[in-house]
Short mmCIF file of all heavy atoms in Angstrom, two decimals:
data_model
loop_
_atom_site.label_atom_id
_atom_site.label_comp_id
_atom_site.label_asym_id
_atom_site.label_seq_id
_atom_site.Cartn_x
_atom_site.Cartn_y
_atom_site.Cartn_z
N MET A 135 59.47 192.44 89.19
CA MET A 135 60.64 191.58 89.33
C MET A 135 60.44 190.54 90.42
O MET A 135 60.78 189.39 90.24
CB MET A 135 61.87 192.46 89.62
CG MET A 135 63.13 191.72 89.89
SD MET A 135 63.84 191.06 88.38
CE MET A 135 65.34 190.38 88.99
N SER A 136 59.88 190.93 91.54
CA SER A 136 59.75 189.98 92.64
C SER A 136 58.78 188.85 92.28
O SER A 136 58.97 187.72 92.72
CB SER A 136 59.30 190.68 93.92
OG SER A 136 58.02 191.23 93.77
N GLU A 137 57.76 189.14 91.48
CA GLU A 137 56.84 188.07 91.07
C GLU A 137 57.56 187.06 90.18
O GLU A 137 57.35 185.86 90.30
CB GLU A 137 55.62 188.65 90.34
CG GLU A 137 54.63 187.61 89.87
CD GLU A 137 54.08 186.72 90.99
OE1 GLU A 137 53.97 187.18 92.13
OE2 GLU A 137 53.76 185.55 90.71
N ALA A 138 58.43 187.53 89.31
CA ALA A 138 59.21 186.64 88.45
C ALA A 138 60.15 185.78 89.30
O ALA A 138 60.30 184.58 89.04
CB ALA A 138 59.99 187.44 87.42
N GLN A 139 60.76 186.38 90.30
CA GLN A 139 61.65 185.63 91.19
C GLN A 139 60.86 184.58 91.96
O GLN A 139 61.29 183.44 92.08
CB GLN A 139 62.34 186.56 92.18
CG GLN A 139 63.44 187.38 91.58
CD GLN A 139 64.04 188.33 92.61
OE1 GLN A 139 63.31 188.99 93.33
NE2 GLN A 139 65.35 188.40 92.64
N ARG A 140 59.70 184.97 92.48
CA ARG A 140 58.87 184.04 93.24
C ARG A 140 58.47 182.86 92.35
O ARG A 140 58.53 181.71 92.77
CB ARG A 140 57.62 184.74 93.78
CG ARG A 140 56.84 183.87 94.76
CD ARG A 140 55.51 184.49 95.11
NE ARG A 140 54.59 184.45 94.00
CZ ARG A 140 53.92 183.36 93.61
NH1 ARG A 140 54.07 182.24 94.22
NH2 ARG A 140 53.10 183.41 92.58
N GLN A 141 58.10 183.14 91.11
CA GLN A 141 57.71 182.08 90.17
C GLN A 141 58.89 181.15 89.90
O GLN A 141 58.72 179.93 89.85
CB GLN A 141 57.19 182.70 88.87
CG GLN A 141 56.64 181.69 87.90
CD GLN A 141 55.44 180.95 88.44
OE1 GLN A 141 54.63 181.49 89.18
NE2 GLN A 141 55.34 179.68 88.10
N PHE A 142 60.07 181.72 89.74
CA PHE A 142 61.27 180.90 89.53
C PHE A 142 61.50 179.97 90.71
O PHE A 142 61.75 178.77 90.53
CB PHE A 142 62.49 181.80 89.31
CG PHE A 142 63.78 181.05 89.26
CD1 PHE A 142 64.14 180.34 88.12
CD2 PHE A 142 64.63 181.02 90.36
CE1 PHE A 142 65.34 179.62 88.08
CE2 PHE A 142 65.82 180.32 90.32
CZ PHE A 142 66.18 179.61 89.18
N TYR A 143 61.40 180.50 91.92
CA TYR A 143 61.61 179.69 93.12
C TYR A 143 60.56 178.58 93.23
O TYR A 143 60.87 177.44 93.60
CB TYR A 143 61.57 180.55 94.38
CG TYR A 143 62.70 181.55 94.48
CD1 TYR A 143 62.55 182.72 95.19
CD2 TYR A 143 63.94 181.32 93.88
CE1 TYR A 143 63.59 183.65 95.29
CE2 TYR A 143 64.97 182.23 93.97
CZ TYR A 143 64.79 183.40 94.67
OH TYR A 143 65.81 184.30 94.78
N MET A 144 59.33 178.88 92.88
CA MET A 144 58.27 177.88 92.91
C MET A 144 58.54 176.77 91.89
O MET A 144 58.34 175.59 92.16
CB MET A 144 56.90 178.52 92.65
CG MET A 144 56.44 179.47 93.74
SD MET A 144 56.24 178.70 95.36
CE MET A 144 54.82 177.67 95.05
N GLU A 145 59.01 177.14 90.71
CA GLU A 145 59.35 176.16 89.68
C GLU A 145 60.49 175.25 90.14
O GLU A 145 60.46 174.04 89.92
CB GLU A 145 59.71 176.86 88.38
CG GLU A 145 58.52 177.50 87.69
CD GLU A 145 58.92 178.38 86.52
OE1 GLU A 145 60.13 178.45 86.18
OE2 GLU A 145 58.02 179.01 85.93
N GLN A 146 61.49 175.85 90.79
CA GLN A 146 62.61 175.05 91.30
C GLN A 146 62.13 174.07 92.36
O GLN A 146 62.57 172.92 92.41
CB GLN A 146 63.70 175.97 91.87
CG GLN A 146 64.39 176.82 90.83
CD GLN A 146 65.05 175.99 89.74
OE1 GLN A 146 65.79 175.06 90.01
NE2 GLN A 146 64.74 176.30 88.49
N ALA A 147 61.22 174.51 93.21
CA ALA A 147 60.66 173.64 94.25
C ALA A 147 59.92 172.47 93.61
O ALA A 147 60.05 171.32 94.05
CB ALA A 147 59.73 174.43 95.16
N GLN A 148 59.16 172.74 92.56
CA GLN A 148 58.43 171.68 91.87
C GLN A 148 59.39 170.68 91.22
O GLN A 148 59.13 169.47 91.25
CB GLN A 148 57.50 172.27 90.82
CG GLN A 148 56.30 172.98 91.41
CD GLN A 148 55.45 173.66 90.35
OE1 GLN A 148 55.86 173.80 89.19
NE2 GLN A 148 54.28 174.11 90.75
N LEU A 149 60.47 171.19 90.64
CA LEU A 149 61.46 170.29 90.04
C LEU A 149 62.07 169.36 91.09
O LEU A 149 62.24 168.16 90.84
CB LEU A 149 62.57 171.10 89.35
CG LEU A 149 62.18 171.82 88.07
CD1 LEU A 149 63.34 172.71 87.59
CD2 LEU A 149 61.81 170.82 86.99
N CYS A 150 62.39 169.90 92.25
CA CYS A 150 62.95 169.09 93.33
C CYS A 150 61.94 168.03 93.79
O CYS A 150 62.31 166.88 94.04
CB CYS A 150 63.37 169.96 94.50
SG CYS A 150 64.83 170.96 94.17
N GLU A 151 60.69 168.43 93.88
CA GLU A 151 59.65 167.50 94.33
C GLU A 151 59.46 166.37 93.32
O GLU A 151 59.35 165.20 93.69
CB GLU A 151 58.34 168.24 94.56
CG GLU A 151 57.32 167.40 95.27
CD GLU A 151 56.18 168.21 95.84
OE1 GLU A 151 56.23 169.45 95.81
OE2 GLU A 151 55.24 167.58 96.32
N ARG A 152 59.46 166.71 92.04
CA ARG A 152 59.34 165.68 91.00
C ARG A 152 60.53 164.73 91.01
O ARG A 152 60.37 163.52 90.88
CB ARG A 152 59.20 166.33 89.63
CG ARG A 152 57.86 166.95 89.39
CD ARG A 152 57.72 167.42 87.95
NE ARG A 152 56.68 168.42 87.88
CZ ARG A 152 56.83 169.62 87.34
NH1 ARG A 152 57.97 169.97 86.79
NH2 ARG A 152 55.84 170.48 87.33
N ALA A 153 61.72 165.29 91.17
CA ALA A 153 62.92 164.46 91.21
C ALA A 153 62.88 163.53 92.42
O ALA A 153 63.26 162.35 92.32
CB ALA A 153 64.17 165.34 91.25
N ALA A 154 62.41 164.02 93.55
CA ALA A 154 62.31 163.19 94.76
C ALA A 154 61.32 162.05 94.55
O ALA A 154 61.53 160.93 95.04
CB ALA A 154 61.90 164.04 95.95
N ALA A 155 60.24 162.31 93.83
CA ALA A 155 59.23 161.28 93.57
C ALA A 155 59.78 160.15 92.71
O ALA A 155 59.34 159.01 92.83
CB ALA A 155 58.01 161.90 92.91
N GLU A 156 60.77 160.47 91.87
CA GLU A 156 61.35 159.46 90.98
C GLU A 156 62.58 158.78 91.59
O GLU A 156 63.03 157.77 91.07
CB GLU A 156 61.72 160.11 89.65
CG GLU A 156 60.52 160.64 88.89
CD GLU A 156 60.91 161.38 87.63
OE1 GLU A 156 62.12 161.46 87.32
OE2 GLU A 156 60.00 161.89 86.97
N GLU A 157 63.10 159.34 92.66
CA GLU A 157 64.32 158.82 93.29
C GLU A 157 64.00 157.63 94.19
O GLU A 157 62.94 157.55 94.78
CB GLU A 157 64.97 159.94 94.11
CG GLU A 157 66.30 159.59 94.72
CD GLU A 157 67.36 159.27 93.69
OE1 GLU A 157 67.54 160.04 92.74
OE2 GLU A 157 68.01 158.23 93.85
N GLU A 158 64.95 156.70 94.27
CA GLU A 158 64.78 155.52 95.13
C GLU A 158 65.63 155.59 96.39
O GLU A 158 65.28 155.00 97.40
CB GLU A 158 65.11 154.25 94.34
CG GLU A 158 64.12 153.98 93.22
CD GLU A 158 64.44 152.71 92.46
OE1 GLU A 158 65.31 151.94 92.91
OE2 GLU A 158 63.80 152.49 91.42
N ASP A 159 66.74 156.30 96.34
CA ASP A 159 67.65 156.40 97.48
C ASP A 159 67.08 157.35 98.53
O ASP A 159 66.81 158.52 98.25
CB ASP A 159 69.02 156.90 96.99
CG ASP A 159 70.03 157.05 98.11
OD1 ASP A 159 69.93 156.31 99.10
OD2 ASP A 159 70.92 157.91 97.96
N ALA A 160 66.89 156.85 99.74
CA ALA A 160 66.26 157.64 100.81
C ALA A 160 67.05 158.91 101.13
O ALA A 160 66.47 159.96 101.37
CB ALA A 160 66.09 156.79 102.06
N ALA A 161 68.37 158.83 101.14
CA ALA A 161 69.19 160.00 101.44
C ALA A 161 69.02 161.07 100.37
O ALA A 161 68.93 162.27 100.67
CB ALA A 161 70.65 159.61 101.58
N LYS A 162 68.98 160.65 99.12
CA LYS A 162 68.80 161.59 98.01
C LYS A 162 67.41 162.21 98.05
O LYS A 162 67.25 163.40 97.80
CB LYS A 162 69.04 160.86 96.69
CG LYS A 162 69.05 161.76 95.49
CD LYS A 162 70.24 162.67 95.48
CE LYS A 162 70.30 163.43 94.17
NZ LYS A 162 71.36 164.41 94.16
N ILE A 163 66.39 161.41 98.40
CA ILE A 163 65.03 161.94 98.53
C ILE A 163 64.99 163.02 99.60
O ILE A 163 64.43 164.10 99.40
CB ILE A 163 64.03 160.81 98.87
CG1 ILE A 163 63.88 159.87 97.67
CG2 ILE A 163 62.67 161.38 99.27
CD1 ILE A 163 63.10 158.61 97.97
N ARG A 164 65.60 162.73 100.75
CA ARG A 164 65.63 163.70 101.85
C ARG A 164 66.32 164.99 101.41
O ARG A 164 65.85 166.09 101.69
CB ARG A 164 66.34 163.07 103.06
CG ARG A 164 66.23 163.86 104.32
CD ARG A 164 66.67 163.09 105.56
NE ARG A 164 67.75 162.12 105.37
CZ ARG A 164 67.57 160.78 105.30
NH1 ARG A 164 66.37 160.26 105.41
NH2 ARG A 164 68.60 159.96 105.14
N GLU A 165 67.45 164.84 100.71
CA GLU A 165 68.18 166.02 100.23
C GLU A 165 67.33 166.85 99.26
O GLU A 165 67.28 168.08 99.36
CB GLU A 165 69.46 165.57 99.53
CG GLU A 165 70.28 166.72 98.96
CD GLU A 165 71.47 166.23 98.16
OE1 GLU A 165 71.94 165.10 98.39
OE2 GLU A 165 71.92 166.98 97.28
N LEU A 166 66.65 166.17 98.35
CA LEU A 166 65.81 166.87 97.38
C LEU A 166 64.64 167.58 98.06
O LEU A 166 64.28 168.71 97.70
CB LEU A 166 65.30 165.90 96.32
CG LEU A 166 66.35 165.45 95.31
CD1 LEU A 166 65.87 164.22 94.55
CD2 LEU A 166 66.71 166.58 94.35
N LEU A 167 64.04 166.94 99.06
CA LEU A 167 62.92 167.56 99.76
C LEU A 167 63.38 168.75 100.61
O LEU A 167 62.67 169.75 100.72
CB LEU A 167 62.17 166.53 100.61
CG LEU A 167 61.43 165.46 99.80
CD1 LEU A 167 60.78 164.46 100.73
CD2 LEU A 167 60.43 166.07 98.84
N GLU A 168 64.57 168.66 101.17
CA GLU A 168 65.13 169.80 101.90
C GLU A 168 65.41 170.96 100.95
O GLU A 168 65.15 172.12 101.28
CB GLU A 168 66.41 169.40 102.63
CG GLU A 168 66.15 168.52 103.84
CD GLU A 168 67.42 168.01 104.50
OE1 GLU A 168 68.54 168.37 104.05
OE2 GLU A 168 67.29 167.24 105.47
N ARG A 169 65.90 170.64 99.78
CA ARG A 169 66.15 171.66 98.77
C ARG A 169 64.83 172.31 98.34
O ARG A 169 64.74 173.53 98.18
CB ARG A 169 66.84 171.02 97.56
CG ARG A 169 67.77 171.94 96.84
CD ARG A 169 68.47 171.26 95.72
NE ARG A 169 69.56 170.42 96.19
CZ ARG A 169 70.29 169.65 95.40
NH1 ARG A 169 70.02 169.58 94.12
NH2 ARG A 169 71.26 168.94 95.89
N ARG A 170 63.80 171.46 98.16
CA ARG A 170 62.46 171.98 97.82
C ARG A 170 61.97 172.95 98.89
O ARG A 170 61.48 174.04 98.58
CB ARG A 170 61.48 170.81 97.70
CG ARG A 170 60.05 171.28 97.44
CD ARG A 170 59.02 170.29 97.89
NE ARG A 170 59.13 170.06 99.32
CZ ARG A 170 58.45 169.13 99.97
NH1 ARG A 170 57.63 168.34 99.34
NH2 ARG A 170 58.61 168.98 101.28
N ASP A 171 62.14 172.56 100.16
CA ASP A 171 61.71 173.43 101.26
C ASP A 171 62.46 174.76 101.25
O ASP A 171 61.88 175.81 101.55
CB ASP A 171 61.88 172.73 102.60
CG ASP A 171 60.93 171.55 102.77
OD1 ASP A 171 59.95 171.45 101.99
OD2 ASP A 171 61.16 170.74 103.68
N SER A 172 63.73 174.72 100.90
CA SER A 172 64.52 175.96 100.82
C SER A 172 63.97 176.87 99.72
O SER A 172 63.85 178.08 99.92
CB SER A 172 65.99 175.65 100.54
OG SER A 172 66.54 174.95 101.62
N TRP A 173 63.65 176.30 98.55
CA TRP A 173 63.09 177.10 97.47
C TRP A 173 61.75 177.69 97.88
O TRP A 173 61.46 178.85 97.58
CB TRP A 173 62.92 176.25 96.20
CG TRP A 173 64.19 175.97 95.48
CD1 TRP A 173 64.75 174.74 95.26
CD2 TRP A 173 65.08 176.91 94.86
NE1 TRP A 173 65.93 174.86 94.56
CE2 TRP A 173 66.14 176.18 94.29
CE3 TRP A 173 65.07 178.29 94.74
CZ2 TRP A 173 67.19 176.80 93.61
CZ3 TRP A 173 66.12 178.91 94.06
CH2 TRP A 173 67.16 178.16 93.51
N LEU A 174 60.92 176.91 98.58
CA LEU A 174 59.62 177.41 99.02
C LEU A 174 59.79 178.55 100.03
O LEU A 174 59.04 179.53 100.00
CB LEU A 174 58.78 176.28 99.63
CG LEU A 174 58.28 175.24 98.63
CD1 LEU A 174 57.59 174.09 99.37
CD2 LEU A 174 57.36 175.86 97.60
N THR A 175 60.77 178.42 100.90
CA THR A 175 61.04 179.48 101.87
C THR A 175 61.45 180.76 101.16
O THR A 175 60.98 181.85 101.50
CB THR A 175 62.14 179.04 102.86
OG1 THR A 175 61.68 177.89 103.56
CG2 THR A 175 62.48 180.15 103.85
N LEU A 176 62.32 180.64 100.17
CA LEU A 176 62.73 181.82 99.40
C LEU A 176 61.54 182.46 98.71
O LEU A 176 61.41 183.68 98.69
CB LEU A 176 63.79 181.43 98.37
CG LEU A 176 65.18 181.16 98.93
CD1 LEU A 176 66.07 180.55 97.85
CD2 LEU A 176 65.79 182.43 99.48
N ALA A 177 60.66 181.64 98.16
CA ALA A 177 59.47 182.18 97.48
C ALA A 177 58.60 182.96 98.47
O ALA A 177 58.08 184.02 98.14
CB ALA A 177 58.67 181.05 96.83
N LYS A 178 58.46 182.45 99.67
CA LYS A 178 57.66 183.14 100.68
C LYS A 178 58.31 184.44 101.13
O LYS A 178 57.62 185.42 101.41
CB LYS A 178 57.43 182.23 101.90
CG LYS A 178 56.49 181.09 101.61
CD LYS A 178 56.36 180.20 102.81
CE LYS A 178 55.54 178.97 102.47
NZ LYS A 178 55.50 178.03 103.59
N LEU A 179 59.63 184.46 101.20
CA LEU A 179 60.34 185.68 101.60
C LEU A 179 60.23 186.77 100.53
O LEU A 179 60.15 187.95 100.86
CB LEU A 179 61.81 185.37 101.89
CG LEU A 179 62.08 184.55 103.14
CD1 LEU A 179 63.56 184.19 103.20
CD2 LEU A 179 61.66 185.29 104.39
N ILE A 180 60.25 186.36 99.28
CA ILE A 180 60.16 187.33 98.18
C ILE A 180 58.77 187.95 98.13
O ILE A 180 58.61 189.14 98.00
CB ILE A 180 60.48 186.65 96.83
CG1 ILE A 180 61.95 186.27 96.76
CG2 ILE A 180 60.10 187.53 95.65
CD1 ILE A 180 62.90 187.43 96.74
N ALA A 181 57.75 187.13 98.21
CA ALA A 181 56.37 187.62 98.12
C ALA A 181 55.53 186.91 99.19
O ALA A 181 54.89 185.91 98.91
CB ALA A 181 55.81 187.34 96.74
N PRO A 182 55.59 187.41 100.42
CA PRO A 182 54.82 186.76 101.48
C PRO A 182 53.33 186.80 101.18
O PRO A 182 52.85 187.73 100.55
CB PRO A 182 55.16 187.56 102.74
CG PRO A 182 55.69 188.85 102.24
CD PRO A 182 56.26 188.61 100.88
N PRO A 183 52.60 185.77 101.61
CA PRO A 183 51.16 185.76 101.35
C PRO A 183 50.47 186.92 102.06
O PRO A 183 50.85 187.29 103.17
CB PRO A 183 50.70 184.42 101.93
CG PRO A 183 51.77 184.01 102.87
CD PRO A 183 53.05 184.63 102.39
N ARG A 184 49.49 187.48 101.39
CA ARG A 184 48.75 188.59 102.00
C ARG A 184 47.75 188.04 102.99
O ARG A 184 47.08 187.07 102.71
CB ARG A 184 48.05 189.39 100.91
CG ARG A 184 49.04 190.10 100.03
CD ARG A 184 48.32 191.04 99.06
NE ARG A 184 49.28 191.83 98.33
CZ ARG A 184 49.75 191.50 97.15
NH1 ARG A 184 49.37 190.41 96.56
NH2 ARG A 184 50.63 192.28 96.55
N ARG A 185 47.66 188.67 104.10
CA ARG A 185 46.73 188.25 105.14
C ARG A 185 45.44 189.05 105.03
O ARG A 185 45.47 190.24 104.73
CB ARG A 185 47.34 188.46 106.51
CG ARG A 185 48.69 187.78 106.66
CD ARG A 185 48.80 187.17 108.03
NE ARG A 185 50.12 186.62 108.27
CZ ARG A 185 50.48 185.40 107.94
NH1 ARG A 185 49.67 184.61 107.34
NH2 ARG A 185 51.69 184.95 108.22
N PHE A 186 44.34 188.39 105.25
CA PHE A 186 43.05 189.08 105.22
C PHE A 186 42.91 189.91 106.48
O PHE A 186 43.12 189.41 107.57
CB PHE A 186 41.92 188.05 105.14
CG PHE A 186 40.58 188.69 104.95
CD1 PHE A 186 40.16 189.09 103.70
CD2 PHE A 186 39.75 188.90 106.03
CE1 PHE A 186 38.93 189.68 103.53
CE2 PHE A 186 38.51 189.50 105.86
CZ PHE A 186 38.10 189.89 104.61
N LYS A 187 42.59 191.17 106.32
CA LYS A 187 42.48 192.06 107.47
C LYS A 187 41.01 192.41 107.68
O LYS A 187 40.36 192.96 106.80
CB LYS A 187 43.30 193.33 107.24
CG LYS A 187 43.31 194.24 108.43
CD LYS A 187 44.21 195.44 108.19
CE LYS A 187 44.19 196.35 109.39
NZ LYS A 187 45.03 197.51 109.18
N TRP A 188 40.49 192.05 108.82
CA TRP A 188 39.10 192.35 109.14
C TRP A 188 38.95 193.85 109.39
O TRP A 188 39.77 194.48 110.03
CB TRP A 188 38.66 191.60 110.40
CG TRP A 188 38.56 190.14 110.18
CD1 TRP A 188 39.49 189.21 110.49
CD2 TRP A 188 37.49 189.43 109.56
NE1 TRP A 188 39.07 187.97 110.12
CE2 TRP A 188 37.84 188.07 109.53
CE3 TRP A 188 36.26 189.83 109.01
CZ2 TRP A 188 37.02 187.10 109.00
CZ3 TRP A 188 35.46 188.83 108.48
CH2 TRP A 188 35.83 187.51 108.47
N ALA A 189 37.87 194.41 108.86
CA ALA A 189 37.59 195.82 109.09
C ALA A 189 37.10 196.01 110.51
O ALA A 189 36.12 195.41 110.92
CB ALA A 189 36.55 196.31 108.08
N SER A 190 37.80 196.81 111.27
CA SER A 190 37.41 197.02 112.67
C SER A 190 36.53 198.24 112.86
O SER A 190 36.03 198.49 113.93
CB SER A 190 38.67 197.15 113.54
OG SER A 190 39.43 198.24 113.10
N SER A 191 36.32 198.98 111.79
CA SER A 191 35.52 200.20 111.91
C SER A 191 34.16 200.05 111.20
O SER A 191 33.66 200.97 110.61
CB SER A 191 36.28 201.38 111.31
OG SER A 191 36.54 201.13 109.95
N ASP A 192 33.58 198.85 111.27
CA ASP A 192 32.33 198.62 110.56
C ASP A 192 31.10 198.78 111.46
O ASP A 192 30.01 198.37 111.10
CB ASP A 192 32.32 197.22 109.94
CG ASP A 192 32.45 196.13 110.96
OD1 ASP A 192 32.67 196.45 112.16
OD2 ASP A 192 32.36 194.97 110.60
N GLY A 193 31.26 199.36 112.62
CA GLY A 193 30.13 199.60 113.49
C GLY A 193 30.04 198.63 114.66
O GLY A 193 29.27 198.81 115.57
N GLY A 194 30.84 197.56 114.62
CA GLY A 194 30.91 196.62 115.73
C GLY A 194 29.67 195.78 115.95
O GLY A 194 29.38 195.40 117.07
N GLU A 195 28.92 195.50 114.92
CA GLU A 195 27.71 194.69 115.11
C GLU A 195 28.09 193.31 115.40
O GLU A 195 28.27 192.37 115.00
CB GLU A 195 26.80 194.80 113.89
CG GLU A 195 26.17 196.18 113.82
CD GLU A 195 25.19 196.25 112.68
OE1 GLU A 195 24.49 195.27 112.42
OE2 GLU A 195 25.14 197.29 112.04
#
């Protein structure tokens, strides 16, 4: 379920970005980009990126 939600949020962010690219009014562009950032934040909260964890027990070479 969370992957589907994350994908939905990413799609919404892309829609906002495309709409901003076609918009001429600066205020509307700013609003659309803020909305895009909100969707991206939600996507990150649903499925945060996995961090690479270095193995600390590999002998310490």
